[in-house]
Amino acid sequence: MSQESLLSELNDRSREVFRRVVESYLETGDPVGSRTLTRSMSEQLSAATIRNVMQDLEFMGLLDSPHTSAGRLPSHLGLRLFVDGMMEVDSVDPDDQAVMDRTLGNDDSDTNVMLDRVSTALSTITRGASLVLMPKHEAPIRHIEFVSLAPDRALVVLVFADGHVENRIFIPPEGQTPSSMREAGNFLNAMAEGKTLAELRRHMASQLAERRRELDILAAELVQSGLALWDGESFDPRLIVRGRANLLDSEAADLDRIRVLFDDLERKRDIVEFLELAEQGDGVRIFIGSENKLFSLSGSALVVSPYMNADRKIVGAVGVIGPTRLNYGRIVPIVDYTAQLVGRVLSGRKG
């Protein structure tokens, strides 16, 4: 049944009961009982009458009844209906706005440093964990070099035509030598000229299969491990996560599920899905529980908004993760404001 159909089935009384259950849950996280609602309803109703209304709402799938309580909680469907059709979104809190303005007011030419500050400020303001997806670097590659740091650690250095440099540490295949690292670097540099990282990654996949015989076995293994690295399977330098400890404070009773979320964030699991969220259109999007695979096991919610560059192209996103009882009315506007502010700052920079 569509949200419009569900809303149309709610009369004024059931709509008010539903709204008060959700608002109480978002404020306290606790189930709401009928006796509690008798004290806050706009019309005087008996506890029995309210109980009947709550049972109807539960039958519609909008409320759940925990085993340990006679009260009701909103279901994910109920939260979705409330967020999309009934929630009143506040304007940006002036104090929150002032914090973000100061955070981006420093004239820092390093975009990574600026976005790291944004992520820290956003997690502090919202008391959730923040995600900031940095822009892709799309300048052509000028040079690639592998450097051995230890038997089990190596560094790949990418120098771009605009002077930007990225260093990535990874675990190389066993037995690598300075000679094999030079050979792997030469092989990649021969293919990299004039290509962006994304273009090189696509080109490498076919070229490695066709020209593998030209490479020493060790060098071929090193290039292959580079493919996995650049595909984002084990590393993505574009995602900044701050404020994980806030999740523990907000969901202390659900430590097992929070540990799963920590694990996901630490290993950047399903990062491709988050990248796609940033490319699916303008404005704030809210994902609750099972609506997004990354957060389905954590009982968490994600509020995310993309930001654009000077060409009005979406290049990244900012978001906040927290329990499903996030203060959506406050967090939605600050995430939206932050995304627009980041876009304006980036658009005012050259390149």
Side-chain angles (χ1 to χ4, degrees):
M1 186 180 293
S2 67
Q3 288 189 5
E4 292 77 8
S5 300
L6 282 171
L7 279 172
S8 67
E9 288 196 14
L10 301 180
N11 58 29
D12 290 344
R13 178 180 293 176
S14 58
R15 188 181 290 248
E16 183 179 2
V17 169
F18 173 67
R19 181 172 57 81
R20 291 191 182 279
V21 169
V22 175
E23 288 177 347
S24 177
Y25 167 73
L26 293 180
E27 182 178 349
T28 67
D30 298 325
V32 184
S34 54
R35 292 191 181 281
T36 301
L37 291 184
T38 59
R39 298 190 291 269
S40 60
M41 294 289 291
S42 58
E43 63 173 315
Q44 192 168 2
L45 298 172
S46 68
T49 299
I50 293 176
R51 251 192 321 272
N52 289 335
V53 174
M54 294 169 82
Q55 287 172 355
D56 291 340
L57 291 169
E58 187 175 357
F59 179 76
M60 294 172 69
L62 300 178
L63 298 183
D64 285 332
S65 179
H67 297 300
T68 56
S69 171
R72 300 297 197 283
L73 297 171
S75 64
H76 281 167
L77 175 63
L79 282 174
R80 181 84 266 166
L81 182 70
F82 176 82
V83 164
D84 289 346
M86 301 176 68
M87 181 177 70
E88 295 181 5
V89 177
D90 305 327
S91 56
V92 182
D93 182 282
D95 292 337
D96 294 345
Q97 182 174 333
V99 170
M100 296 313 303
D101 287 345
R102 286 196 301 272
T103 299
L104 280 93
N106 297 330
D107 186 18
D108 198 318
S109 59
D110 189 326
T111 299
N112 293 4
V113 172
M114 182 267 286
L115 291 176
D116 191 284
R117 288 203 313 269
V118 167
S119 189
T120 300
L122 197 56
S123 70
T124 301
I125 289 172
T126 61
R127 298 186 181 90
S130 65
L131 296 180
V132 173
L133 183 65
M134 296 187 291
K136 296 177 182 177
H137 202 81
E138 297 187 340
I141 296 170
R142 178 186 295 162
H143 183 70
I144 299 172
E145 185 173 352
F146 291 100
V147 179
S148 178
L149 301 177
D152 61 346
R153 279 202 313 158
L155 181 73
V156 59
V157 182
L158 291 89
V159 182
F160 294 86
D162 62 357
H164 177 78
V165 178
E166 284 188 18
N167 300 319
R168 308 189 187 186
I169 295 175
F170 69 106
I171 300 173
E174 290 185 10
Q176 290 298 321
T177 65
S179 174
S180 63
M181 289 194 168
R182 280 196 302 273
E183 187 177 354
N186 291 338
F187 179 79
L188 289 172
N189 283 314
M191 291 189 291
E193 187 175 359
K195 293 183 179 64
T196 65
L197 186 54
E199 290 168 343
L200 175 61
R201 188 169 55 234
R202 289 192 295 270
H203 187 60
M204 275 171 56
S206 61
Q207 288 297 301
L208 185 59
E210 292 176 15
R211 300 171 57 185
R212 195 179 185 99
R213 281 184 299 228
E214 298 177 22
L215 282 171
D216 175 88
I217 293 175
L218 289 176
E221 288 177 351
L222 188 60
V223 172
Q224 189 71 54
S225 65
L227 271 175
L229 182 73
W230 290 315
D231 280 342
E233 293 173 2
S234 57
F235 182 83
D236 195 300
R238 297 177 55 213
L239 187 66
I240 303 171
V241 182
R242 295 289 178 268
R244 291 179 179 86
N246 292 335
L247 296 175
L248 290 172
D249 293 340
S250 63
E251 290 280 287
D254 236 342
L255 290 180
D256 286 343
R257 286 193 283 182
I258 291 301
R259 285 192 190 98
V260 172
L261 178 57
F262 270 35
D263 187 48
D264 285 341
L265 294 176
E266 192 66 38
R267 292 191 286 182
K268 314 293 170 68
R269 183 180 299 161
D270 296 326
I271 188 64
V272 173
E273 289 190 12
F274 187 69
L275 304 189
E276 289 173 350
L277 299 185
E279 298 168 355
Q280 290 176 0
D282 217 345
V284 179
R285 303 189 69 198
I286 301 171
F287 294 84
I288 299 172
S290 59
E291 294 172 354
N292 180 30
K293 190 172 69 174
L294 177 56
F295 308 106
S296 63
L297 294 177
S298 67
S300 297
L302 166 68
V303 179
V304 62
S305 182
Y307 58 85
M308 301 182 181
N309 61 13
D311 299 323
R312 302 295 296 167
K313 177 183 176 184
I314 292 173
V315 293
V318 298
V320 171
I321 310 166
T324 52
R325 62 181 187 86
L326 278 175
N327 184 345
Y328 297 98
R330 175 171 176 255
I331 289 176
V332 166
I334 188 58
V335 168
D336 184 41
Y337 180 77
T338 301
Q340 293 183 42
L341 193 58
V342 168
R344 287 199 298 271
V345 171
L346 292 180
S347 296
R349 296 182 174 181
K350 295 181 179 179

